[in-house]
Amino acid sequence: MTLHPQTGVFGDWDGSIIAARSLQSELAQRVSLRDDFPEPQVLAGFDVGFEEDGAVTRAAVVLLDATTLQPIESHIARVATSMPYVPGLLSFRELPALMAALAMLTRTPELVFVDGQGIAHPRRLGIAAHFGVATGLPAIGVAKKVLAGRHDEPGPTPGDRAALMHRGEQIGWALRSKLRCNPLIVSPGHRISLDTAVGWVMRTLKGYRLPEPTRLADRIASRRGELATSVAAAIDKDSLF
DNA sequence: GCGACAG
DNA sequence: ATCTTGTCGC
């Protein structure tokens, strides 16, 4: 079994869930929950999907203006899938594609949103936290379901939230982002605090359940990439959004 | 032991 | 995640 030292991703996984879990615990120690990033100029949203019956992992990334939330550019990366889906080990399966998508950007975002958990994970290393540690970028995890922990039902009004608790500590927030919609599970990925993370999700909502970074990445990802990819798609973005 | 289990 | 139309409720 080989391991990529910088990202903590297995080059070829030997199927050892035990080894993967202990590696997560080690990487989790590098996660910072301190707010230490400048006022963002550009944000990025990432989403992962699969093609060819799971043989190909597809990552979509959208770069957007932090003030207007308008998309600037988008890309889709495809890599061969190297691991099966195992609850709790999601990042090892999806990280390679996320890294490939990040490499396609023409500029680096100051804050990234990833579809999935940040520290709201059994060992505090959901995909947003793993991605944050692997890239060093400030990251927020926005998931549609709970993986670890429990929470009370948040109030019905957008903005209402309830703490997500696990083993005596708060690991995230169940946030009502839209009326009559199930709450989002928001947790810090890296270099951001619990409160600042929800604050950014609130600040990037545009009337939909998902915040713009994640919502736009979801959109181009579900188009199966027929239209999008590379800079050409970014220039032609009016036909996409 | 039983149930839960991001995407 | 993915296969997929209509349909119920705001």
Side-chain angles (χ1 to χ4, degrees):
Chain A
M1 171 181 77
T2 59
L3 186 63
H4 189 108
Q6 295 307 305
T7 63
V9 170
F10 297 103
D12 95 76
W13 194 49
D14 64 5
S16 174
I17 290 179
I18 302 295
R21 286 179 179 162
S22 60
L23 174 56
Q24 289 185 316
S25 297
E26 273 177 41
L27 293 171
Q29 296 187 303
R30 298 181 203 175
V31 171
S32 169
L33 300 182
R34 232 188 63 181
D35 293 310
D36 72 319
F37 56 92
E39 181 60 28
Q41 299 303 302
V42 293
L43 307 174
F46 290 84
D47 181 55
V48 177
F50 297 88
E51 298 175 358
E52 307 300 325
D53 240 329
V56 174
T57 301
R58 163 190 12 85
V61 59
V62 175
L63 207 59
L64 44 169
D65 184 291
T67 304
T68 65
L69 299 183
Q70 290 305 301
I72 298 170
E73 64 175 68
S74 61
H75 307 278
I76 289 184
R78 291 183 174 75
V79 306
T81 303
S82 56
M83 255 190 72
Y85 167 66
V86 179
L89 301 184
L90 181 72
S91 64
F92 292 113
R93 173 175 160 89
E94 304 190 345
L95 209 54
L98 289 183
M99 298 299 281
L102 176 68
M104 296 172 86
L105 294 176
T106 61
R107 62 173 291 189
T108 306
E110 283 76 39
L111 180 63
V112 307
F113 291 63
V114 182
D115 187 7
Q117 316 293 346
I119 62 166
H121 176 279
R123 289 165 296 283
R124 309 293 183 263
L125 196 80
I127 187 157
H130 196 158
F131 185 63
V133 166
T135 63
L137 295 173
I140 296 176
V142 181
K144 303 176 198 66
K145 297 175 182 175
V146 167
L147 170 64
R150 1 182 350 158
H151 64 80
D152 290 334
E153 181 72 13
T157 309
D160 285 346
R161 67 202 68 171
L164 174 64
M165 304 295 294
H166 182 65
R167 295 181 190 171
E169 58 182 330
Q170 187 183 354
I171 57 175
W173 289 105
L175 174 72
R176 184 128 276 150
S177 54
K178 186 178 191 292
L179 200 61
R180 283 174 235 90
C181 280
N182 290 321
L184 292 179
I185 304 303
V186 179
S187 62
H190 189 45
R191 296 175 61 185
I192 192 167
S193 65
L194 277 163
D195 292 332
T196 302
V198 237
W200 270 98
V201 170
M202 282 305 296
R203 173 171 171 180
T204 50
L205 288 173
K206 257 195 162 180
Y208 299 93
R209 179 158 91 120
L210 297 177
E212 285 301 282
T214 303
R215 193 182 74 84
L216 295 179
D218 262 352
R219 279 189 55 163
I220 70 163
S222 58
R223 289 211 175 188
R224 312 229 117 186
E226 345 126 317
L227 300 172
T229 314
S230 141
V231 188
I235 295 172
D236 210 22
K237 67 178 187 297
D238 288 334
S239 61
L240 279 165
F241 299 97

